[in-house]
């Protein structure tokens, strides 16, 4: 099969999976989002975001050309408003901000990449989603017995491999029989730069919680890649233990109604900026 035929088949499969996902059952009610839209405070929030969007993009782009990470983080503006934002996992390093975790679909998929035997996030998100999701974890090293036991109790699956050199995220999905991802936590020490795009290009993902490493230019480049596939930032959380690291929570535009999210303005400059 030619490369063009393979790409075409993957595109068709992706759209079929998106259609299947969007028509499957969920705890969400679109009227909840409509009610949010009608709130005066939300209307004003959207208005202000749209008015300042162009300037926000320029300021972020200019900050990305310098070497002051903290200044860059402060200039990353949230592009979506999550009414029910919840911190999942440990306090400090390891915790992630998730939007409305109880609104997941039945038999959803949770992926946690980068464990180091610290699975507070994994346990918490499993409980917060009503124990109805399949959880998949991976780390470069084999995890200790307590971690393996905890995953077994959650009916989860663990992989020991360097992502994506030895095992890609799509391969993990194939091995576990999953076709889409509700929540993806990714903290793999710069591996995100090559591991993430092959997933979001060909598979449907709703929320991404990613720790990006490097200089401001590295952060912007990664944010631009994710944004290209329809994701918007709803939380920015600087990692105080790692000056070159920052946590970003992002949601797929197609999942906003499900998780009761209101879009604001797009503030990540396009890749050709």
């Amino acid at each position: 099969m030619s490369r063009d035929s393979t790409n075409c088949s993957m595109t068709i499969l992706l759209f079929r999976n998106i259609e299947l996902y969007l028509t499957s059952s969920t705890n969400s009610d679109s009227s909840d989002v409509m009610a949010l839209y009608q709130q005066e405070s939300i209307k004003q929030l959207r208005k202000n975001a749209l008015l300042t969007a162009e300037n926000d993009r320029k300021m972020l782009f200019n900050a990305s050309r310098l070497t002051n990470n903290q200044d860059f983080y402060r200039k990353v503006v949230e592009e979506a408003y999550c009414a029910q934002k919840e911190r999942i996992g440990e306090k400090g390093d390891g915790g992630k901000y998730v939007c409305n975790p109880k609104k997941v679909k039945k038999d959803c998929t949770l992926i946690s990449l980068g464990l180091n035997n610290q699975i507070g996030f994994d346990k918490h998100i499993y409980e917060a989603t009503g124990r109805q999701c399949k959880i998949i974890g991976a780390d470069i090293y084999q995890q200790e017995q307590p971690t393996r036991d905890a995953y077994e109790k959650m009916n989860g699956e663990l992989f020991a491999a360097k992502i994506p050199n030895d095992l890609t995220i799509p391969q993990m999905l194939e091995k576990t029989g999953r076709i889409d991802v509700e929540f993806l936590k990714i903290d793999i020490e710069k591996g995100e730069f090559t591991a993430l795009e092959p997933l979001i290009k060909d598979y449907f993902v709703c929320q991404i919680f990613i720790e990006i490493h490097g200089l401001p230019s590295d952060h912007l480049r990664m944010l631009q890649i994710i944004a290209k596939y329809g994701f918007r930032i709803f939380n920015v959380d600087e990692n105080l233990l790692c000056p070159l690291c920052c946590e970003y929570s992002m949601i797929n535009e197609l999942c906003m109604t499900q998780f009761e999210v209101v879009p604001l303005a797009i503030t990540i400059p396009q890749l050709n900026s």
Side-chain angles (χ1 to χ4, degrees):
M1 181 180 292
S2 69
R3 179 176 298 180
D4 288 343
S5 298
T6 301
N7 290 339
C8 182
S9 298
M10 289 300 297
T11 300
I12 293 172
L13 180 60
L14 173 61
F15 281 115
R16 285 178 179 172
N17 289 343
I18 290 174
E19 183 180 19
L20 178 63
Y21 183 91
L22 295 178
T23 56
S24 61
S25 62
T26 177
N27 297 323
S28 295
D29 184 347
S30 59
S31 63
D32 294 335
V33 179
M34 295 305 297
L36 272 175
Y37 269 82
Q38 297 306 313
Q39 293 180 16
E40 288 302 321
S41 59
I42 299 300
K43 289 181 180 179
Q44 191 61 46
L45 189 64
R46 282 170 51 81
K47 179 180 178 180
N48 292 341
L50 292 167
L51 285 173
T52 62
E54 184 176 355
N55 187 57
D56 290 336
R57 286 190 291 270
K58 289 179 179 178
M59 291 181 64
L60 185 63
F61 180 73
N62 291 336
S64 74
R65 304 175 71 179
L66 305 176
T67 57
N68 187 328
N69 278 59
Q70 285 62 44
D71 180 61
F72 176 84
Y73 305 150
R74 288 191 291 268
K75 287 183 169 58
V76 180
V77 177
E78 293 177 6
E79 304 171 297
Y81 171 73
C82 174
Q84 302 291 332
K85 191 161 56 177
E86 184 176 344
R87 186 171 177 84
I88 301 291
E90 300 92 340
K91 294 181 179 180
D93 191 27
K96 315 290 180 184
Y97 279 91
V98 178
C99 184
N100 221 347
K102 67 180 182 296
K103 292 293 184 178
V104 294
K105 293 180 180 291
K106 294 180 180 178
D107 192 33
C108 57
T109 304
L110 315 174
I111 294 183
S112 180
L113 305 180
L115 304 179
N116 195 28
N117 290 295
Q118 298 176 9
I119 57 170
F121 173 87
D122 309 57
K123 292 178 178 178
H124 193 172
I125 196 64
Y126 180 71
E127 294 293 334
T129 51
R131 302 184 181 183
Q132 59 182 323
C133 299
K134 173 73 173 181
I135 185 163
I136 304 166
D139 193 87
I140 187 172
Y141 301 113
Q142 181 75 36
Q143 299 300 282
E144 295 174 359
Q145 192 63 48
T147 300
R148 300 201 298 272
D149 291 343
Y151 254 76
E152 185 176 351
K153 288 181 180 179
M154 295 186 290
N155 195 31
E157 293 193 45
L158 279 172
F159 292 89
K162 185 175 182 179
I163 309 292
N165 301 53
D166 302 323
L167 180 69
T168 67
I169 310 175
Q171 286 172 339
M172 291 173 60
L173 290 177
E174 292 167 8
K175 288 177 181 292
T176 53
R178 315 304 286 187
I179 61 173
D180 52 51
V181 181
E182 198 97 350
F183 296 154
L184 169 66
K185 185 215 82 174
I186 178 167
D187 182 1
I188 52 176
E189 309 303 321
K190 295 187 177 181
E192 66 271 13
F193 292 105
T194 52
L196 183 56
E197 188 172 15
L199 173 72
I200 58 179
K201 178 182 177 182
D202 293 326
Y203 289 83
F204 188 65
V205 180
C206 262
Q207 293 188 43
I208 297 172
F209 323 114
I210 182 170
E211 182 176 79
I212 299 177
H213 305 73
L215 295 173
S217 58
D218 300 315
H219 284 251
L220 181 61
R221 174 68 182 181
M222 189 75 249
L223 293 174
Q224 287 175 317
I225 289 172
I226 303 172
K228 183 174 70 172
Y229 295 97
F231 289 85
R232 294 203 193 186
I233 298 170
F234 67 85
N235 192 81
V236 182
D237 191 28
E238 181 181 346
N239 187 332
L240 299 179
L241 300 178
C242 175
L244 298 182
C245 308
C246 190
E247 309 275 359
Y248 303 92
S249 296
M250 309 181 77
I251 186 166
N252 191 320
E253 291 171 343
L254 295 176
C255 295
M256 287 186 174
T257 299
Q258 176 185 342
F259 291 99
E260 299 176 10
V261 170
V262 176
L264 299 176
I266 296 175
T267 56
I268 297 299
Q270 294 183 359
L271 277 169
N272 60 359
S273 295

